Amino acid sequence: MIVKIEFCYETDTEYMICPAKVGRNVRQLQRDFDKWLYNRENNHPYWELAHVDEEGNEFYGVCFNADAFVYWLNNVRFYKGKQVARLIDSPNKRPKKTIRF
């Protein structure tokens, strides 16, 4: 199944191909990804230092694109060694689902 991935502040649209089983649940998977992404206890490469206050306290935000969602699907959610999703340049058919970050 082809899934269209859009971002609010970018004009780029990316496409992901995945099995229908994954695609059917892509909105729930997106919510689970968001929980994982913004959980400060998870050590992932998408954390970015956003601010250091006068006392030296560090504040972090996240910086990610569609690669992060695909990484999470393949290595965190479905981690049994089988790749379940990958990005594609241009789909050969119309996407069945669209998600927006």
Side-chain angles (χ1 to χ4, degrees), residues 2-6 26-27 30 95-100:
I2 297 173
V3 177
K4 182 178 180 180
I5 303 172
E6 298 179 336
V26 75
R27 288 186 182 87
Q30 179 186 14
K96 294 205 178 224
K97 298 266 185 157
T98 299
I99 56 174
R100 292 173 184 83

Side-chain angles (χ1 to χ4, degrees), residues 37-53 56-63:
L37 184 70
Y38 289 97
N39 182 341
R40 194 63 186 108
E41 294 178 11
N42 290 326
N43 185 20
H44 56 67
Y46 310 108
W47 289 113
E48 199 169 274
L49 182 62
H51 177 71
V52 179
D53 68 11
N57 298 315
E58 296 179 339
F59 298 90
Y60 288 85
V62 294
C63 183

Side-chain angles (χ1 to χ4, degrees), residues 9-67:
Y9 299 108
E10 295 183 24
T11 57
D12 292 338
T13 297
E14 298 191 59
Y15 298 92
M16 174 183 81
I17 191 164
C18 60
K21 177 182 173 184
V22 173
R24 280 193 300 272
N25 297 317
V26 75
R27 288 186 182 87
Q28 179 60 50
L29 290 167
Q30 179 186 14
R31 287 188 290 274
D32 294 345
F33 167 73
D34 284 341
K35 289 176 189 173
W36 172 83
L37 184 70
Y38 289 97
N39 182 341
R40 194 63 186 108
E41 294 178 11
N42 290 326
N43 185 20
H44 56 67
Y46 310 108
W47 289 113
E48 199 169 274
L49 182 62
H51 177 71
V52 179
D53 68 11
E54 300 82 31
E55 290 86 37
N57 298 315
E58 296 179 339
F59 298 90
Y60 288 85
V62 294
C63 183
F64 69 100
N65 58 19
D67 286 332

Side-chain angles (χ1 to χ4, degrees), residues 48-98:
E48 199 169 274
L49 182 62
H51 177 71
V52 179
D53 68 11
E54 300 82 31
E55 290 86 37
N57 298 315
E58 296 179 339
F59 298 90
Y60 288 85
V62 294
C63 183
F64 69 100
N65 58 19
D67 286 332
F69 185 56
V70 170
Y71 168 84
W72 177 81
L73 286 171
N74 290 327
N75 297 290
V76 178
R77 178 61 176 88
F78 301 101
Y79 54 85
K80 294 185 172 136
K82 183 179 178 188
Q83 185 180 29
V84 297
R86 67 181 168 86
L87 294 177
I88 57 174
D89 291 328
S90 57
N92 56 1
K93 51 187 165 182
R94 196 168 144 256
K96 294 205 178 224
K97 298 266 185 157
T98 299

